[in-house]
């Protein structure tokens, strides 16, 4: 893979979609990746003849909406097939990271598409939250994306504080890194682990300060999108999704999330708590709150499970079940409205026919 192609996360698998579609339609199509989404348009970087073209802007019009169909809206990281700079089709997404709406609407909010690795960034200062890490990791797991936990600002706490979280994190996640902006070797070790051509996205709470880490991983000059300065303190606030690129990988930077709700995916929650979900209780639907033969309660009594972790697990799982119910109810309402419209349309057509 050339360095230019690596900078947009290209692989032969994406090109194969274009080759098949071109052969089926008889139209010579090209490939482009979405690097920014705005209200009226998307910015894409094109790939043609083994090289990367400059950014171009595509209007969010009927052709784009038709290409996405039910998967609309567009997401940063999407691949599109273009015909003379017009959207022909959306390349099927391999992964799509979403999060539950913060409001009453049960619609998920799109974060990024076609992501290989989710960097879950959690700083030690002001406070380190295992619960927040677990919730962000569950977002990634729900999309089939591997979460890599990156604990930052280690220079601001002592070794005892780091050790307190190292064990619980490494028991849950295969990839856990502790980094400091003052020790660039820790960041270099993280970068060395990232596979060639990988697409990553950043999942982090609002205001955590991820810009320094991204700059150390990629270099500030590699940003495809803009970074907006909002005060005189040298901090940067990400106001929209943007792409940073290196010759090895790309990072989709996302605005921080203020509130991290549980995903509507019980399996994703269980995957983040393997020490709990792998235990076998007497009853398959055990709630771990008082049923006889509960292996989880027994493990807490034996001291092999942290009661706080069990409490977080039960709470996240209950939220996931509620989110599923909300989404099912919304879908049912949409189907009822659609049936009503179809019935009304049918009755109007019948009345017109009778009047002839």
């Amino acid at each position: 893979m050339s360095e230019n192609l690596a900078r947009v996360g290209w692989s032969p698998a994406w090109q194969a979609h274009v080759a098949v579609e071109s052969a089926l339609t008889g139209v010579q199509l090209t490939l482009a990746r979405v690097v920014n989404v705005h209200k009226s348009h998307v910015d894409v970087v094109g790939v043609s003849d083994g090289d990367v073209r400059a950014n171009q802007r595509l209007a969010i019009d009927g052709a784009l909406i038709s290409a996405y169909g039910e998967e609309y809206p567009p997401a940063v990281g999407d691949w599109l097939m273009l015909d003379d700079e017009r959207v022909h089709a959306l390349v099927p997404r391999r992964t799509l990271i979403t999060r539950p709406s913060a409001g009453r609407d049960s619609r998920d909010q799109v974060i990024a598409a076609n992501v290989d690795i989710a960097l879950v960034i959690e700083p030690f200062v002001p406070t380190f939250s295992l619960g927040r890490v677990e919730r962000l990791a569950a977002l990634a797991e729900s999309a089939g994306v591997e979460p890599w936990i990156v604990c930052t600002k280690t220079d601001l706490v002592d070794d005892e504080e780091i050790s307190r979280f190292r064990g619980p994190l490494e028991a849950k996640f295969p990839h856990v890194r502790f980094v400091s902006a003052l020790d660039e070797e820790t960041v270099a070790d993280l970068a060395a682990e990232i596979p060639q051509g990988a697409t990553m996205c950043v999942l982090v709470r609002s205001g955590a300060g991820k810009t320094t880490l991204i700059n150390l991983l990629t270099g500030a000059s590699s940003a495809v999108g803009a970074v907006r300065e909002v005060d005189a303190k040298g901090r940067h606030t990400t106001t929209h999704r943007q792409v940073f690129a290196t010759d090895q990988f790309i990072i989709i930077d996302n605005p921080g999330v203020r509130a991290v709700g549980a995903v509507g995916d019980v399996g994703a929650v269980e995957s983040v708590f393997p020490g709990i979900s792998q235990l076998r209780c007497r009853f398959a639907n055990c709630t771990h709150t008082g049923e006889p033969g509960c292996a989880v309660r027994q493990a807490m009594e034996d001291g092999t499970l942290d009661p706080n972790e069990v409490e977080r697990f039960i709470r996240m799982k209950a939220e996931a079940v509620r989110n599923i119910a909300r989404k099912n109810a919304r879908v049912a309402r949409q189907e009822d409205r659609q049936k009503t419209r179809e019935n009304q349309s049918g009755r109007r057509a019948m009345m017109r026919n009778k009047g002839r």
Side-chain angles (χ1 to χ4, degrees):
M1 186 192 305
S2 74
E3 291 182 352
N4 281 338
L5 294 178
R7 291 177 66 85
V8 293
W10 179 92
S11 74
W14 298 121
Q15 197 65 44
H17 283 283
V18 178
V20 171
E21 187 69 13
S22 295
L24 290 173
T25 61
V27 178
Q28 187 59 44
L29 302 172
T30 57
L31 193 62
R33 193 164 206 191
V34 178
V35 296
N36 246 323
V37 177
H38 307 274
K39 289 183 178 179
S40 61
H41 65 277
V42 298
D43 296 326
V44 301
V45 173
V47 175
S48 179
D49 299 324
D51 207 349
V52 175
R53 302 198 307 271
N55 286 23
Q56 66 183 107
R57 179 169 293 182
L58 301 175
I60 297 181
D61 55 12
L64 188 70
I65 295 173
S66 176
Y68 276 83
E70 293 182 358
E71 295 301 317
Y72 191 80
V76 173
D78 272 332
W79 287 98
L80 296 170
M81 289 180 272
L82 305 183
D83 173 14
D84 291 333
E85 300 187 356
R86 291 281 296 172
V87 176
H88 174 82
L90 169 71
V91 178
R93 290 161 166 165
R94 190 174 67 249
T95 60
L96 180 66
I97 298 181
T98 63
R99 74 181 187 94
S101 170
R104 294 183 177 181
D105 191 348
S106 60
R107 296 179 184 273
D108 291 342
Q109 297 177 352
V110 174
I111 294 178
N114 300 314
V115 173
D116 304 302
I117 297 168
L119 294 180
V120 177
I121 301 175
E122 180 66 15
F124 275 101
V125 175
T127 56
F128 192 96
S129 171
L130 273 175
R132 187 160 47 234
V133 169
E134 291 160 351
R135 287 171 178 267
L136 292 173
L139 291 181
E141 292 280 4
S142 182
V145 176
E146 184 177 23
W148 287 25
I149 314 305
V150 183
C151 310
T152 62
K153 301 186 181 181
T154 57
D155 55 293
L156 300 180
V157 294
D158 55 28
D159 292 341
E160 183 179 352
E161 180 72 359
I162 295 173
S163 297
R164 186 161 70 93
F165 292 101
R166 183 186 296 273
L169 287 172
E170 292 181 346
K172 291 173 175 287
F173 307 106
H175 294 275
V176 180
R177 278 289 177 183
F178 296 84
V179 303
S180 166
L182 300 182
D183 185 356
E184 294 190 13
E185 185 176 347
T186 60
V187 181
D189 289 342
L190 170 62
E193 291 185 11
I194 300 171
Q196 180 71 27
T199 295
M200 301 182 294
C201 79
V202 174
L203 299 178
V204 63
R205 70 175 176 82
S206 181
K210 60 191 180 299
T211 304
T212 299
L213 177 62
I214 292 177
N215 286 348
L216 288 172
L217 283 171
T218 66
S221 62
S222 63
V224 177
V227 177
R228 176 186 174 189
E229 290 195 16
V230 294
D231 55 31
K233 298 180 180 179
R235 294 186 291 108
H236 296 80
T237 297
T238 306
T239 58
H240 58 280
R241 290 168 184 86
Q242 51 199 329
V243 175
F244 293 77
T246 74
D247 297 338
Q248 180 186 353
F249 52 79
I250 71 171
I251 297 178
I252 299 172
D253 186 15
N254 302 291
V257 292
R258 291 180 175 84
V260 188
V263 295
D265 185 341
V266 173
V269 173
E270 291 179 341
S271 68
V272 173
F273 294 86
I276 299 175
S277 58
Q278 291 172 8
L279 292 175
R280 292 293 173 261
C281 301
R282 179 185 301 176
F283 302 107
N285 61 346
C286 184
T287 63
H288 317 308
T289 57
E291 294 90 338
C294 176
V296 173
R297 307 296 296 184
Q298 184 61 49
M300 283 193 290
E301 293 174 7
D302 294 343
T304 54
L305 271 183
D306 179 4
N308 292 324
E309 181 181 17
V310 174
E311 181 183 353
R312 295 195 303 271
F313 169 73
I314 293 173
R315 184 166 58 247
M316 283 182 63
K317 194 170 179 179
E319 289 180 26
V321 171
R322 287 197 296 272
N323 284 338
I324 293 171
R326 289 173 60 204
K327 183 176 293 186
N328 290 341
R330 175 176 60 81
V331 171
R333 288 194 299 270
Q334 288 177 333
E335 291 176 348
D336 288 342
R337 285 194 292 268
Q338 180 62 29
K339 289 179 181 178
T340 299
R341 286 192 292 267
E342 291 174 355
N343 291 337
Q344 290 174 342
S345 177
R347 285 195 294 270
R348 285 194 294 267
M350 190 187 316
M351 295 300 294
R352 285 195 298 268
N353 291 335
K354 285 184 176 180
R356 291 176 181 174

mmCIF file with all atom_site columns, all heavy atoms in Angstrom, residues 283-301:
data_model
loop_
_atom_site.group_PDB
_atom_site.id
_atom_site.type_symbol
_atom_site.label_atom_id
_atom_site.label_alt_id
_atom_site.label_comp_id
_atom_site.label_asym_id
_atom_site.label_entity_id
_atom_site.label_seq_id
_atom_site.pdbx_PDB_ins_code
_atom_site.Cartn_x
_atom_site.Cartn_y
_atom_site.Cartn_z
_atom_site.occupancy
_atom_site.B_iso_or_equiv
_atom_site.pdbx_formal_charge
_atom_site.auth_seq_id
_atom_site.auth_comp_id
_atom_site.auth_asym_id
_atom_site.auth_atom_id
_atom_site.pdbx_PDB_model_num
ATOM 1   N N   . PHE A 1 283 ? -29.840 -19.671 37.683 1.00 0.00 ? 283 PHE A N   1
ATOM 2   C CA  . PHE A 1 283 ? -30.881 -19.264 36.741 1.00 0.00 ? 283 PHE A CA  1
ATOM 3   C C   . PHE A 1 283 ? -30.263 -18.429 35.623 1.00 0.00 ? 283 PHE A C   1
ATOM 4   O O   . PHE A 1 283 ? -29.460 -17.525 35.878 1.00 0.00 ? 283 PHE A O   1
ATOM 5   C CB  . PHE A 1 283 ? -31.974 -18.456 37.450 1.00 0.00 ? 283 PHE A CB  1
ATOM 6   C CG  . PHE A 1 283 ? -32.615 -19.198 38.584 1.00 0.00 ? 283 PHE A CG  1
ATOM 7   C CD1 . PHE A 1 283 ? -32.351 -18.844 39.903 1.00 0.00 ? 283 PHE A CD1 1
ATOM 8   C CD2 . PHE A 1 283 ? -33.466 -20.268 38.334 1.00 0.00 ? 283 PHE A CD2 1
ATOM 9   C CE1 . PHE A 1 283 ? -32.934 -19.515 40.943 1.00 0.00 ? 283 PHE A CE1 1
ATOM 10  C CE2 . PHE A 1 283 ? -34.050 -20.960 39.381 1.00 0.00 ? 283 PHE A CE2 1
ATOM 11  C CZ  . PHE A 1 283 ? -33.786 -20.599 40.685 1.00 0.00 ? 283 PHE A CZ  1
ATOM 12  N N   . ALA A 1 284 ? -30.665 -18.730 34.381 1.00 0.00 ? 284 ALA A N   1
ATOM 13  C CA  . ALA A 1 284 ? -30.096 -18.029 33.225 1.00 0.00 ? 284 ALA A CA  1
ATOM 14  C C   . ALA A 1 284 ? -30.428 -16.544 33.236 1.00 0.00 ? 284 ALA A C   1
ATOM 15  O O   . ALA A 1 284 ? -29.660 -15.726 32.738 1.00 0.00 ? 284 ALA A O   1
ATOM 16  C CB  . ALA A 1 284 ? -30.592 -18.672 31.931 1.00 0.00 ? 284 ALA A CB  1
ATOM 17  N N   . ASN A 1 285 ? -31.593 -16.188 33.793 1.00 0.00 ? 285 ASN A N   1
ATOM 18  C CA  . ASN A 1 285 ? -32.002 -14.783 33.827 1.00 0.00 ? 285 ASN A CA  1
ATOM 19  C C   . ASN A 1 285 ? -31.732 -14.147 35.185 1.00 0.00 ? 285 ASN A C   1
ATOM 20  O O   . ASN A 1 285 ? -32.432 -13.217 35.596 1.00 0.00 ? 285 ASN A O   1
ATOM 21  C CB  . ASN A 1 285 ? -33.482 -14.657 33.478 1.00 0.00 ? 285 ASN A CB  1
ATOM 22  C CG  . ASN A 1 285 ? -34.380 -15.404 34.456 1.00 0.00 ? 285 ASN A CG  1
ATOM 23  O OD1 . ASN A 1 285 ? -33.905 -16.223 35.238 1.00 0.00 ? 285 ASN A OD1 1
ATOM 24  N ND2 . ASN A 1 285 ? -35.688 -15.131 34.408 1.00 0.00 ? 285 ASN A ND2 1
ATOM 25  N N   . CYS A 1 286 ? -30.736 -14.640 35.886 1.00 0.00 ? 286 CYS A N   1
ATOM 26  C CA  . CYS A 1 286 ? -30.402 -14.121 37.224 1.00 0.00 ? 286 CYS A CA  1
ATOM 27  C C   . CYS A 1 286 ? -30.064 -12.636 37.145 1.00 0.00 ? 286 CYS A C   1
ATOM 28  O O   . CYS A 1 286 ? -29.299 -12.199 36.275 1.00 0.00 ? 286 CYS A O   1
ATOM 29  C CB  . CYS A 1 286 ? -29.222 -14.901 37.795 1.00 0.00 ? 286 CYS A CB  1
ATOM 30  S SG  . CYS A 1 286 ? -28.777 -14.433 39.483 1.00 0.00 ? 286 CYS A SG  1
ATOM 31  N N   . THR A 1 287 ? -30.608 -11.850 38.053 1.00 0.00 ? 287 THR A N   1
ATOM 32  C CA  . THR A 1 287 ? -30.330 -10.408 38.097 1.00 0.00 ? 287 THR A CA  1
ATOM 33  C C   . THR A 1 287 ? -29.191 -10.070 39.053 1.00 0.00 ? 287 THR A C   1
ATOM 34  O O   . THR A 1 287 ? -28.799 -8.914  39.169 1.00 0.00 ? 287 THR A O   1
ATOM 35  C CB  . THR A 1 287 ? -31.581 -9.635  38.535 1.00 0.00 ? 287 THR A CB  1
ATOM 36  O OG1 . THR A 1 287 ? -31.936 -10.023 39.867 1.00 0.00 ? 287 THR A OG1 1
ATOM 37  C CG2 . THR A 1 287 ? -32.744 -9.896  37.589 1.00 0.00 ? 287 THR A CG2 1
ATOM 38  N N   . HIS A 1 288 ? -28.681 -11.069 39.744 1.00 0.00 ? 288 HIS A N   1
ATOM 39  C CA  . HIS A 1 288 ? -27.565 -10.920 40.699 1.00 0.00 ? 288 HIS A CA  1
ATOM 40  C C   . HIS A 1 288 ? -27.928 -9.980  41.850 1.00 0.00 ? 288 HIS A C   1
ATOM 41  O O   . HIS A 1 288 ? -27.074 -9.287  42.387 1.00 0.00 ? 288 HIS A O   1
ATOM 42  C CB  . HIS A 1 288 ? -26.301 -10.399 39.988 1.00 0.00 ? 288 HIS A CB  1
ATOM 43  C CG  . HIS A 1 288 ? -26.033 -11.057 38.664 1.00 0.00 ? 288 HIS A CG  1
ATOM 44  N ND1 . HIS A 1 288 ? -25.980 -12.423 38.517 1.00 0.00 ? 288 HIS A ND1 1
ATOM 45  C CD2 . HIS A 1 288 ? -25.806 -10.525 37.432 1.00 0.00 ? 288 HIS A CD2 1
ATOM 46  C CE1 . HIS A 1 288 ? -25.725 -12.711 37.243 1.00 0.00 ? 288 HIS A CE1 1
ATOM 47  N NE2 . HIS A 1 288 ? -25.635 -11.592 36.566 1.00 0.00 ? 288 HIS A NE2 1
ATOM 48  N N   . THR A 1 289 ? -29.189 -9.988  42.211 1.00 0.00 ? 289 THR A N   1
ATOM 49  C CA  . THR A 1 289 ? -29.621 -9.108  43.300 1.00 0.00 ? 289 THR A CA  1
ATOM 50  C C   . THR A 1 289 ? -30.225 -9.858  44.476 1.00 0.00 ? 289 THR A C   1
ATOM 51  O O   . THR A 1 289 ? -30.671 -9.226  45.430 1.00 0.00 ? 289 THR A O   1
ATOM 52  C CB  . THR A 1 289 ? -30.668 -8.102  42.782 1.00 0.00 ? 289 THR A CB  1
ATOM 53  O OG1 . THR A 1 289 ? -31.769 -8.815  42.199 1.00 0.00 ? 289 THR A OG1 1
ATOM 54  C CG2 . THR A 1 289 ? -30.065 -7.170  41.735 1.00 0.00 ? 289 THR A CG2 1
ATOM 55  N N   . GLY A 1 290 ? -30.254 -11.179 44.420 1.00 0.00 ? 290 GLY A N   1
ATOM 56  C CA  . GLY A 1 290 ? -30.802 -11.907 45.562 1.00 0.00 ? 290 GLY A CA  1
ATOM 57  C C   . GLY A 1 290 ? -31.296 -13.297 45.245 1.00 0.00 ? 290 GLY A C   1
ATOM 58  O O   . GLY A 1 290 ? -31.788 -14.002 46.149 1.00 0.00 ? 290 GLY A O   1
ATOM 59  N N   . GLU A 1 291 ? -31.192 -13.741 44.005 1.00 0.00 ? 291 GLU A N   1
ATOM 60  C CA  . GLU A 1 291 ? -31.664 -15.078 43.650 1.00 0.00 ? 291 GLU A CA  1
ATOM 61  C C   . GLU A 1 291 ? -30.765 -16.143 44.274 1.00 0.00 ? 291 GLU A C   1
ATOM 62  O O   . GLU A 1 291 ? -29.566 -15.947 44.451 1.00 0.00 ? 291 GLU A O   1
ATOM 63  C CB  . GLU A 1 291 ? -31.657 -15.259 42.119 1.00 0.00 ? 291 GLU A CB  1
ATOM 64  C CG  . GLU A 1 291 ? -32.641 -14.382 41.371 1.00 0.00 ? 291 GLU A CG  1
ATOM 65  C CD  . GLU A 1 291 ? -32.051 -13.053 40.969 1.00 0.00 ? 291 GLU A CD  1
ATOM 66  O OE1 . GLU A 1 291 ? -31.048 -12.633 41.598 1.00 0.00 ? 291 GLU A OE1 1
ATOM 67  O OE2 . GLU A 1 291 ? -32.592 -12.426 40.049 1.00 0.00 ? 291 GLU A OE2 1
ATOM 68  N N   . PRO A 1 292 ? -31.335 -17.307 44.607 1.00 0.00 ? 292 PRO A N   1
ATOM 69  C CA  . PRO A 1 292 ? -30.514 -18.406 45.138 1.00 0.00 ? 292 PRO A CA  1
ATOM 70  C C   . PRO A 1 292 ? -29.594 -18.956 44.035 1.00 0.00 ? 292 PRO A C   1
ATOM 71  O O   . PRO A 1 292 ? -29.934 -18.951 42.857 1.00 0.00 ? 292 PRO A O   1
ATOM 72  C CB  . PRO A 1 292 ? -31.553 -19.447 45.564 1.00 0.00 ? 292 PRO A CB  1
ATOM 73  C CG  . PRO A 1 292 ? -32.761 -19.154 44.733 1.00 0.00 ? 292 PRO A CG  1
ATOM 74  C CD  . PRO A 1 292 ? -32.770 -17.663 44.547 1.00 0.00 ? 292 PRO A CD  1
ATOM 75  N N   . GLY A 1 293 ? -28.418 -19.411 44.440 1.00 0.00 ? 293 GLY A N   1
ATOM 76  C CA  . GLY A 1 293 ? -27.477 -19.986 43.488 1.00 0.00 ? 293 GLY A CA  1
ATOM 77  C C   . GLY A 1 293 ? -26.826 -18.968 42.582 1.00 0.00 ? 293 GLY A C   1
ATOM 78  O O   . GLY A 1 293 ? -26.383 -19.307 41.476 1.00 0.00 ? 293 GLY A O   1
ATOM 79  N N   . CYS A 1 294 ? -26.739 -17.727 43.033 1.00 0.00 ? 294 CYS A N   1
ATOM 80  C CA  . CYS A 1 294 ? -26.140 -16.661 42.224 1.00 0.00 ? 294 CYS A CA  1
ATOM 81  C C   . CYS A 1 294 ? -24.622 -16.719 42.367 1.00 0.00 ? 294 CYS A C   1
ATOM 82  O O   . CYS A 1 294 ? -24.068 -16.443 43.444 1.00 0.00 ? 294 CYS A O   1
ATOM 83  C CB  . CYS A 1 294 ? -26.664 -15.296 42.647 1.00 0.00 ? 294 CYS A CB  1
ATOM 84  S SG  . CYS A 1 294 ? -25.892 -13.920 41.764 1.00 0.00 ? 294 CYS A SG  1
ATOM 85  N N   . ALA A 1 295 ? -23.938 -17.048 41.281 1.00 0.00 ? 295 ALA A N   1
ATOM 86  C CA  . ALA A 1 295 ? -22.483 -17.151 41.312 1.00 0.00 ? 295 ALA A CA  1
ATOM 87  C C   . ALA A 1 295 ? -21.821 -15.793 41.493 1.00 0.00 ? 295 ALA A C   1
ATOM 88  O O   . ALA A 1 295 ? -20.729 -15.691 42.061 1.00 0.00 ? 295 ALA A O   1
ATOM 89  C CB  . ALA A 1 295 ? -21.987 -17.811 40.029 1.00 0.00 ? 295 ALA A CB  1
ATOM 90  N N   . VAL A 1 296 ? -22.480 -14.747 41.022 1.00 0.00 ? 296 VAL A N   1
ATOM 91  C CA  . VAL A 1 296 ? -21.922 -13.399 41.141 1.00 0.00 ? 296 VAL A CA  1
ATOM 92  C C   . VAL A 1 296 ? -21.939 -12.954 42.599 1.00 0.00 ? 296 VAL A C   1
ATOM 93  O O   . VAL A 1 296 ? -20.943 -12.413 43.116 1.00 0.00 ? 296 VAL A O   1
ATOM 94  C CB  . VAL A 1 296 ? -22.705 -12.416 40.250 1.00 0.00 ? 296 VAL A CB  1
ATOM 95  C CG1 . VAL A 1 296 ? -22.241 -10.970 40.498 1.00 0.00 ? 296 VAL A CG1 1
ATOM 96  C CG2 . VAL A 1 296 ? -22.526 -12.769 38.778 1.00 0.00 ? 296 VAL A CG2 1
ATOM 97  N N   . ARG A 1 297 ? -23.050 -13.187 43.276 1.00 0.00 ? 297 ARG A N   1
ATOM 98  C CA  . ARG A 1 297 ? -23.114 -12.829 44.704 1.00 0.00 ? 297 ARG A CA  1
ATOM 99  C C   . ARG A 1 297 ? -22.094 -13.629 45.502 1.00 0.00 ? 297 ARG A C   1
ATOM 100 O O   . ARG A 1 297 ? -21.455 -13.115 46.429 1.00 0.00 ? 297 ARG A O   1
ATOM 101 C CB  . ARG A 1 297 ? -24.524 -13.088 45.253 1.00 0.00 ? 297 ARG A CB  1
ATOM 102 C CG  . ARG A 1 297 ? -25.654 -12.448 44.485 1.00 0.00 ? 297 ARG A CG  1
ATOM 103 C CD  . ARG A 1 297 ? -25.603 -10.948 44.498 1.00 0.00 ? 297 ARG A CD  1
ATOM 104 N NE  . ARG A 1 297 ? -25.763 -10.365 45.828 1.00 0.00 ? 297 ARG A NE  1
ATOM 105 C CZ  . ARG A 1 297 ? -25.822 -9.056  46.054 1.00 0.00 ? 297 ARG A CZ  1
ATOM 106 N NH1 . ARG A 1 297 ? -25.713 -8.213  45.038 1.00 0.00 ? 297 ARG A NH1 1
ATOM 107 N NH2 . ARG A 1 297 ? -25.974 -8.593  47.266 1.00 0.00 ? 297 ARG A NH2 1
ATOM 108 N N   . GLN A 1 298 ? -21.924 -14.896 45.141 1.00 0.00 ? 298 GLN A N   1
ATOM 109 C CA  . GLN A 1 298 ? -20.950 -15.732 45.829 1.00 0.00 ? 298 GLN A CA  1
ATOM 110 C C   . GLN A 1 298 ? -19.544 -15.208 45.610 1.00 0.00 ? 298 GLN A C   1
ATOM 111 O O   . GLN A 1 298 ? -18.723 -15.189 46.543 1.00 0.00 ? 298 GLN A O   1
ATOM 112 C CB  . GLN A 1 298 ? -21.044 -17.173 45.318 1.00 0.00 ? 298 GLN A CB  1
ATOM 113 C CG  . GLN A 1 298 ? -20.126 -18.160 46.031 1.00 0.00 ? 298 GLN A CG  1
ATOM 114 C CD  . GLN A 1 298 ? -20.428 -18.268 47.515 1.00 0.00 ? 298 GLN A CD  1
ATOM 115 O OE1 . GLN A 1 298 ? -21.583 -18.435 47.890 1.00 0.00 ? 298 GLN A OE1 1
ATOM 116 N NE2 . GLN A 1 298 ? -19.398 -18.151 48.353 1.00 0.00 ? 298 GLN A NE2 1
ATOM 117 N N   . ALA A 1 299 ? -19.246 -14.756 44.378 1.00 0.00 ? 299 ALA A N   1
ATOM 118 C CA  . ALA A 1 299 ? -17.914 -14.218 44.088 1.00 0.00 ? 299 ALA A CA  1
ATOM 119 C C   . ALA A 1 299 ? -17.652 -12.933 44.863 1.00 0.00 ? 299 ALA A C   1
ATOM 120 O O   . ALA A 1 299 ? -16.523 -12.678 45.299 1.00 0.00 ? 299 ALA A O   1
ATOM 121 C CB  . ALA A 1 299 ? -17.776 -13.977 42.590 1.00 0.00 ? 299 ALA A CB  1
ATOM 122 N N   . MET A 1 300 ? -18.683 -12.134 45.065 1.00 0.00 ? 300 MET A N   1
ATOM 123 C CA  . MET A 1 300 ? -18.511 -10.925 45.874 1.00 0.00 ? 300 MET A CA  1
ATOM 124 C C   . MET A 1 300 ? -18.228 -11.293 47.326 1.00 0.00 ? 300 MET A C   1
ATOM 125 O O   . MET A 1 300 ? -17.367 -10.679 47.986 1.00 0.00 ? 300 MET A O   1
ATOM 126 C CB  . MET A 1 300 ? -19.761 -10.043 45.774 1.00 0.00 ? 300 MET A CB  1
ATOM 127 C CG  . MET A 1 300 ? -19.863 -9.259  44.482 1.00 0.00 ? 300 MET A CG  1
ATOM 128 S SD  . MET A 1 300 ? -21.115 -7.958  44.553 1.00 0.00 ? 300 MET A SD  1
ATOM 129 C CE  . MET A 1 300 ? -22.618 -8.937  44.591 1.00 0.00 ? 300 MET A CE  1
ATOM 130 N N   . GLU A 1 301 ? -18.921 -12.296 47.839 1.00 0.00 ? 301 GLU A N   1
ATOM 131 C CA  . GLU A 1 301 ? -18.695 -12.723 49.218 1.00 0.00 ? 301 GLU A CA  1
ATOM 132 C C   . GLU A 1 301 ? -17.301 -13.319 49.386 1.00 0.00 ? 301 GLU A C   1
ATOM 133 O O   . GLU A 1 301 ? -16.675 -13.159 50.441 1.00 0.00 ? 301 GLU A O   1
ATOM 134 C CB  . GLU A 1 301 ? -19.764 -13.743 49.622 1.00 0.00 ? 301 GLU A CB  1
ATOM 135 C CG  . GLU A 1 301 ? -21.165 -13.158 49.704 1.00 0.00 ? 301 GLU A CG  1
ATOM 136 C CD  . GLU A 1 301 ? -22.228 -14.225 49.977 1.00 0.00 ? 301 GLU A CD  1
ATOM 137 O OE1 . GLU A 1 301 ? -21.830 -15.390 50.222 1.00 0.00 ? 301 GLU A OE1 1
ATOM 138 O OE2 . GLU A 1 301 ? -23.433 -13.897 49.935 1.00 0.00 ? 301 GLU A OE2 1
#
